[in-house]
Amino acid sequence: MNIPDPNFMDVAFSLAEEALKCGEVPVGCVVVYEKEIIGGGRNYVNETKNATRHAELLAIDAVRRWCDLKDLNCLEIFSKIHLYVTVEPCIMCASALEQLKIPLIVYGCDNDRFGGCNSVLNVFNLKGAFQPTIISGLRAAESISLLKQFYQGENPNAPVPKLKREPELKPNVP
C-alpha cells in the first residue's frame, strides 16, 4: 500500500485556505508524479459561476497542460499519479478520477452531501470501475474546520432566493 506524504497535503491546504479567502468552498487539491507536484487547484465555482470548476478538475487541467509542455502521454501519466485533496471528491470529480484511472486518492474529511468515494456513492464500486487505493481521514479535523468557517458566513455568490407569491384571486365575474 502507498503511504501518503503529508507534505503534499500541506500544499492542498494552502490552496483550500486561498479558496476560503476568495469566498469559495475551501477545497484544495494537488497532483503528484514521481514525488513532484505537477498540478493543483482550488475551487473556483463562485468566481467563475461555473459548477464544474472544482479543485480536482482544475488540477486535472493543470496536469494536461504539464503533459503538453513535456510532450508526454497524459493517460500514461494519470495512471501513475497521486491525488491529494482536502475533502472527499464529489461524485462528478470521483467519476473523472475513475475514468483517468488515478491509482491513489488521499483526502481529508468525508463529503456527506456529495461524496463520490464512499460517503454518498462509491463510484469505484460500480460494475467495471477502476479500483484505486483510497486513503481517507488525513487531517480530517482541519478540513472540517475550514468548511465550518465557510458555512458560518453567508455565501456572497449564492443566488437570491425567489419568494413564492400567493396567486391573486380574481372575482368570478360572468
Side-chain angles (χ1 to χ4, degrees):
M1 179 169 140
N2 295 305
I3 309 254
D5 184 336
N7 294 318
F8 295 126
M9 196 61 120
D10 289 343
V11 179
F13 270 100
S14 293
L15 291 165
E17 289 165 0
E18 180 183 314
L20 180 64
K21 289 176 187 168
C22 294
E24 296 283 350
V25 176
V27 179
C29 176
V30 294
V31 178
V32 177
Y33 175 70
E34 296 181 348
K35 300 184 181 185
E36 176 188 343
I37 294 174
I38 62 169
R42 66 162 177 88
N43 278 2
Y44 269 95
V45 172
N46 293 333
E47 291 174 74
T48 61
K49 302 197 182 335
N50 181 339
T52 67
R53 300 294 67 203
H54 288 201
E56 299 92 333
L57 297 182
L58 291 170
I60 288 169
D61 289 346
V63 171
R64 291 178 57 83
R65 286 190 302 276
W66 183 85
C67 288
D68 287 346
L69 286 172
K70 304 264 185 191
D71 199 29
L72 297 170
N73 179 317
C74 284
L75 292 179
E76 186 178 317
I77 299 301
F78 281 121
S79 73
K80 298 175 183 175
I81 63 174
H82 299 169
L83 183 129
Y84 290 78
V85 61
T86 57
V87 178
E88 175 186 5
C90 70
I91 294 168
M92 173 182 68
C93 291
S95 294
L97 302 175
E98 188 278 331
Q99 289 175 35
L100 294 169
K101 297 182 177 19
I102 293 179
L104 177 65
I105 300 166
V106 179
Y107 68 84
C109 69
D110 290 341
N111 181 344
D112 294 333
R113 294 179 67 200
F114 308 109
C117 295
N118 193 38
S119 298
V120 175
L121 172 73
N122 187 336
V123 301
F124 306 102
N125 281 344
L126 301 175
K127 186 175 181 178
F130 175 75
Q131 299 293 313
T133 299
I134 299 173
I135 299 172
S136 63
L138 185 63
R139 296 170 62 178
E142 190 174 345
S143 299
I144 291 168
S145 175
L146 283 175
L147 290 170
K148 283 182 178 178
Q149 287 177 54
F150 175 79
Y151 286 109
Q152 282 175 350
E154 284 191 33
N155 182 347
N157 297 303
V160 177
K162 295 181 180 175
L163 301 175
K164 286 186 176 182
R165 293 181 18 188
E166 292 294 322
E168 285 185 38
L169 296 176
K170 298 188 181 191
N172 221 358
V173 181

